[in-house]
Amino acid sequence: NIESIMIYYCISLASETGRRSYINEQFAHHRLNVIFFDAVCPSKNQFPGIYQQKDRLNLYGRDLSRGEMGCYLSHQAVWAAFLQTDENHCCVLEDDSELAENFASILTQLLDIHSCWDLVRLAGTFPRKGRTIAQVNNKHQLVEYLEQPRGTLAYIINRKAATALLKHTEKMTHAIDDSIDQIWGHQLRTYGLEPYTVKESSQFQSSIGCRKRPKLSKFSKLKRELYKSKYSVKKKLWQCKTWLRWMLT
């Protein structure tokens, strides 16, 4: 029974009854239970205590939006809630998720090979090329990427991942998906399931809002690139090590 070894959370604003009904219908179809986790709404008058505004502005030239902050805090809170349970694995979804017909069976098969992953994306924002790490079935595989597909629409994690991610995101500088993608920092076996078994529903608009890049002066752009350089170096080193491992195995 997949429910005996996996807990399902859906992050959703308490007021979004339409979205919650949509998720409930899908889980009922798959004969699974889902726990709705009330999304965190940051104060409009002050930033969260963990927010590193100076570093954020130096790196990106703009603050995180309130929606991005809420998303960040909500995923953190779900990881913490998961660790308070006795479950070994957790599926986290956002409330605009559309589940494929094979959703439940694919998750069962992923649990059959749970020893080879810590975090698996079930959906991604951008198509990326990568290397197959493991075959899930004759149509699906686990893929490791040099450039991550981004997004937090749907993913599964184990307890090791939840613990490491909470540690890695103690300071809020990047959007939550960007933080998850910093594999060189948290050292988790982070893969994607391809083809994806979850996609963003066209019925709903994002509650986070778009990430508009501000217009910056030449000096501000230079300053930003200087601050970004240390992150870029760490990323490039990890990509080189990963590519070399691919070549040698």
Side-chain angles (χ1 to χ4, degrees), residues 47-59 63-64 69 170-174:
F47 291 126
I50 63 171
Y51 184 49
Q52 309 297 302
Q53 186 181 34
K54 182 179 179 180
D55 289 341
R56 173 70 194 185
L57 293 176
N58 284 333
L59 284 167
D63 280 309
L64 284 168
M69 291 180 185
E170 285 179 339
K171 294 182 178 180
M172 180 193 294
T173 303
H174 314 275

Side-chain angles (χ1 to χ4, degrees), residues 42-189:
S43 169
K44 294 181 180 180
N45 300 319
Q46 63 181 22
F47 291 126
I50 63 171
Y51 184 49
Q52 309 297 302
Q53 186 181 34
K54 182 179 179 180
D55 289 341
R56 173 70 194 185
L57 293 176
N58 284 333
L59 284 167
Y60 295 95
R62 71 166 182 89
D63 280 309
L64 284 168
S65 70
R66 295 292 173 180
E68 288 174 318
M69 291 180 185
C71 187
Y72 192 106
L73 296 172
S74 297
H75 282 272
Q76 275 190 323
V78 164
W79 303 333
F82 163 47
L83 291 175
Q84 294 301 309
T85 74
D86 295 325
E87 307 294 342
N88 291 320
H89 300 91
C90 171
C91 178
V92 182
L93 303 108
E94 295 176 350
D95 62 4
D96 52 351
S97 296
E98 182 176 312
L99 312 184
E101 187 62 35
N102 62 2
F103 175 77
S105 61
I106 289 293
L107 261 64
T108 299
Q109 292 169 326
L110 283 171
L111 288 174
D112 288 340
I113 58 170
H114 68 87
S115 61
C116 72
W117 55 264
D118 297 314
L119 184 154
V120 179
R121 269 194 171 94
L122 307 176
T125 304
F126 302 107
R128 305 293 195 200
K129 292 183 179 180
R131 186 188 188 198
T132 297
I133 296 299
Q135 204 67 34
V136 180
N137 56 37
N138 60 350
K139 292 183 179 180
H140 293 79
Q141 50 274 332
L142 283 185
V143 177
E144 185 175 25
Y145 308 98
L146 293 179
E147 192 69 41
Q148 302 304 311
R150 304 182 70 179
T152 52
L153 183 68
Y155 57 91
I156 56 176
I157 55 175
N158 57 23
R159 298 183 71 85
K160 174 185 174 183
T163 302
L165 288 172
L166 282 171
K167 178 68 175 177
H168 183 67
T169 60
E170 285 179 339
K171 294 182 178 180
M172 180 193 294
T173 303
H174 314 275
I176 191 63
D177 56 340
D178 291 336
S179 295
I180 290 173
D181 289 347
Q182 293 169 354
I183 302 170
W184 53 92
H186 54 64
Q187 299 293 316
L188 295 170
R189 296 168 299 171

